[in-house]
Amino acid sequence: MANILVVEDDIIINQVICEFLKENKYNVVPVFDGQIALEKFNSETFDLIILDIMIPSISGIELLKEIRKNSDVPIMMLTAINDEYTQLISFNNMISDYVVKPFSPTILVKRVENILRNTTKENNIILNDIIIKVNEGTVLHNKNEVILTKKEYDILVYLAKKTGKIVPREQLMSAIWGYDDSYSRVLDNHMKNLRKKLPSLPLKTIVGRGYQIEEI
């Protein structure tokens, strides 16, 4: 079941979106404030974000830019703003769709289905004998499920999606925990556990630079 963050400060619109999505078997997390949305994003894993632009604390555009520093999660902009400049900024920050209010909730659900369908190719990541089923939130090793904590799983997926690239320690801390304390030992403990649970994981520590899952 896809997990969708709905960021919309109009209570009625937010409720309508959430109800239609729930009826179509999606799990939804409604928020009404940009800062709270950022905190939710940093603490949970989402398959899609529906994002209004005119929201309190942090505008939708600023929130979009902040999310894009660490994530390529699909984002649908949902707004009354219809000018070309705003749409260009949004698409330049790799949004998946731009929906202008007023909108049909039924069509909105179809757009959500389309976005998620187009991202299904990313739902299975294969690393040697390890399969990460991103859409299901599970990890298999030699066809047997491996139980990971949420943080371990988030670290694995984040690094796996950047296979071949060196991910700085600070970037990983910021993406998973929401802060970039490079001296914290919490990340080392999670890496140790990942290597123990998934011994065939092609994970390297690049001293002084960060971590890398090697291309196979």
Side-chain angles (χ1 to χ4, degrees):
M1 179 187 297
N3 197 32
I4 301 176
L5 180 64
V6 180
V7 189
E8 166 63 67
D9 64 327
D10 185 298
I11 296 175
I12 300 301
I13 294 177
N14 197 313
Q15 288 177 341
V16 169
I17 294 171
C18 290
E19 286 304 315
F20 270 79
L21 291 174
K22 287 177 182 177
E23 288 177 4
N24 286 270
K25 310 304 180 183
Y26 293 110
N27 182 55
V28 295
V29 177
V31 296
F32 307 89
D33 176 277
Q35 182 60 45
I36 294 175
L38 183 58
E39 293 169 3
K40 281 285 186 182
F41 171 77
N42 286 328
S43 63
E44 299 182 33
T45 300
F46 295 98
D47 301 288
L48 172 66
I49 299 174
I50 297 177
L51 179 58
D52 187 14
I53 291 180
M54 302 298 290
I55 51 177
S57 300
I58 303 175
S59 75
I61 294 294
E62 292 307 311
L63 180 56
L64 168 64
K65 292 178 180 179
E66 193 66 28
I67 290 172
R68 282 293 175 254
K69 290 180 181 179
N70 299 306
S71 174
D72 58 358
V73 61
I75 296 178
M76 173 194 290
M77 303 303 283
L78 179 65
T79 177
I81 300 175
N82 194 26
D83 65 277
E84 182 177 305
Y85 177 72
T86 304
Q87 292 187 56
L88 284 174
I89 291 177
S90 300
F91 281 109
N92 285 341
N93 281 278
M94 298 181 296
I95 64 167
S96 299
D97 202 352
Y98 193 102
V99 179
V100 178
K101 300 175 183 176
F103 61 93
S104 161
T106 302
I107 298 300
L108 181 73
V109 170
K110 291 300 180 183
R111 286 175 177 265
V112 167
E113 290 176 358
N114 187 59
I115 292 173
L116 295 175
R117 185 184 305 112
N118 288 337
T119 58
T120 53
K121 63 183 179 181
E122 301 176 4
N123 286 341
N124 282 356
I125 302 174
I126 300 175
L127 304 167
N128 288 335
D129 50 8
I130 299 167
I131 300 176
I132 308 170
K133 295 190 173 184
V134 178
N135 198 42
E136 299 175 16
T138 59
V139 178
L140 303 179
H141 178 233
N142 288 326
K143 299 183 179 180
N144 297 312
E145 184 173 356
V146 178
I147 304 302
L148 302 180
T149 67
K150 182 181 185 304
K151 294 299 185 185
E152 290 167 355
Y153 175 81
D154 288 347
I155 291 169
L156 177 62
V157 171
Y158 190 85
L159 290 173
K161 287 186 175 181
K162 297 181 182 295
T163 294
K165 298 180 180 179
I166 298 174
V167 178
R169 184 183 180 89
E170 296 82 2
Q171 179 180 329
L172 192 55
M173 287 289 296
S174 179
I176 306 301
W177 278 275
Y179 61 89
D180 59 357
D181 181 2
S182 61
Y183 297 101
S184 172
R185 309 319 300 174
V186 65
L187 180 57
D188 301 290
N189 292 332
H190 283 76
M191 288 299 188
K192 180 180 178 180
N193 290 336
L194 270 176
R195 288 186 168 108
K196 183 177 180 180
K197 293 179 179 180
L198 298 169
S200 63
L201 181 67
L203 173 62
K204 291 177 60 179
T205 299
I206 313 297
V207 179
R209 298 183 67 186
Y211 300 95
Q212 178 189 43
I213 288 184
E214 296 179 288
E215 293 182 336
I216 301 168

